[in-house]
Amino acid sequence: MSSRTAVEETLDNADIDSALTWTTGNVAEAFPGVFTTLGFTYMSEPMEFAFRKMFLSMGVYTRRQVYIPDQVEDMFWTLFAGRAAANIDRFREIASITPGTSATAIEQQLFGYVRPETVDENSVRRYPAILTKAPGLVLQLPGRHDAEFAELRRWRLDRLAEIDTLDHDGLVALLGDARDRFQSIMIKHLIVAFVSSALAEGVSTTLKALDLGGLEADILSGVGSDENEVAHDLWALAHEEFGLREFIDRHGYHGVEEGQLSGVSWRENPAPILERLDHYRTIPAESPRAPRNRSRAQVEARDKALAQFLRALPGYKRRITGWQVRMVGRWLALREQGKAGYLLTYDVARAAMRREGALLATDGVLDDAEDIFHLSYDQLCAGITGDQRDLIAERRAAYNERLGYRLPQAWSGMPELIKADGHGAQTLPVNGTVTGVAASSGVVEGRARVVRDPAETELDEGDILVCEVTDPSWVPLFLVAGGVVTDHGGLLSHGPIVARELGIPCVCGTENGSHRIADGARIRLDGNAGTVTVLA
């Protein structure tokens, strides 16, 4: 049995090359929480193919490199104790042969973590192929990305309308269609992530050379994103500008642990958003806190920062730099659109599997419809035969146990599992500080609210949201929060992008801030310096 197949069976690695380094940064943001067997086997191959086909389309890879490796060490990602981790060494290899980026830039921007021993060893051997393919791809991709995202929105609503009429064969066929669409949008999403990182790195380098590094967060704000629309539409729903059905049609694919196939979307349970509407009703249209006004303020902050940036440049560089900044904004918005795109495919797959689970439970094959998430994708495609109850019970027990653990931010070889309740992490004393990435400018003081589940937490206005990682289902809390602190992620991660769009300070990549900052402590978040200090 190959090590890849073993992971599909156990959702864990029993052994791994001790020389390789892994990280939960970024990948944990895309796929937070613990995988079920169906969740992983459904998307593990499409995800690996997406990485490789993305690099092929850019000229970084040759066709011979587009395959699924037998050994985990050769893959871009895998699972440890049911949780996703990315292979830093594979990404470093890519960065070393790609123009406009480096191993250091990739580690910092994608994962929020750079190892002290990191050395950039760039090679030009693939430059001819890249320079042949990449420019045309970069010019065409935004339009293609917009078109595919619009098609996925239409496809989702059409397929959800027919779910209840499908039998087993129809549901499996729909699951396969959703899987193919997941891979297609993920390829584009990964290209966007890579290109936007390179563009942002170029802007960042120029700013630092001019001693204007403090403008970076503002330069990268006001770009517009799918989350802007979620925030505005939550406010509009609260003010009865349209009804719940329209909101669910637009954004119902979001929800708690939306990056897991077994997660529950707002379409299935809208309670997490309905419970917060009373607060949003207190925000009048003319208030600076209204989402549209926040977005406009961030556009103004970006324009002001850009003007200062351009004034510091010699005249002959201003036009090209202005174009570069506009390109960064466009591609940053596409990052969030791509994430929404693959979540659209997840929502259809999720609905199909819950329908299939209900049918199997009615037939007595499963004890509970939710047990379907502990079967594999191949099993479902082949048809369930024989009694699966013992296997399901074993997998469910392992899943529940893994919920009690988390992974470190980065490690070499096998990770040391950490108690999810933060056992072992020393709580910060008064004047104690954690440091991370200065991701969204501003300084704010307030009560820390350490949140594990956004659906079960209420924030008061001005509370500072402290968490491991965010995804789009956390946007309702961003509208209330005075600032955001995350354990994982870098400048271009989801939490910082949304924080900048809403104009609230953010420090990300603290590694264990949510386990060291006590819930209820009064803290100062400095989004300019990248620090969080306990005041009381």
Side-chain angles (χ1 to χ4, degrees), residues 2-13 22 27 31-49 51 68-72 75-86 175 179 182 259-263 346 349 353 372-378 380 395 399 402:
S2 69
S3 60
R4 174 178 61 83
T5 303
V7 173
E8 292 177 353
E9 290 284 335
T10 65
L11 306 186
D12 197 5
N13 276 278
W22 302 84
V27 69
F31 306 108
V34 177
F35 275 87
T36 62
T37 298
L38 179 57
F40 182 65
T41 56
Y42 165 78
M43 54 77 73
S44 59
E45 287 193 11
M47 190 69 201
E48 185 70 20
F49 269 130
F51 279 120
I68 301 296
D70 287 331
Q71 301 306 314
V72 167
M75 300 182 71
F76 281 94
W77 77 296
T78 188
L79 300 185
F80 292 92
R83 294 181 182 269
L175 185 64
R179 197 181 194 222
F182 167 83
Q260 293 294 340
L261 204 58
S262 57
Y346 257 48
M353 287 303 92
I372 195 170
F373 292 107
H374 297 294
L375 299 176
S376 74
Y377 176 75
D378 288 344
L380 289 172
R395 287 174 173 172
Y399 173 82
R402 287 164 177 166

Side-chain angles (χ1 to χ4, degrees), residues 499-511:
R500 289 193 295 269
E501 292 304 291
L502 295 177
I504 57 177
C506 175
V507 173
C508 65
T510 62
E511 187 169 358

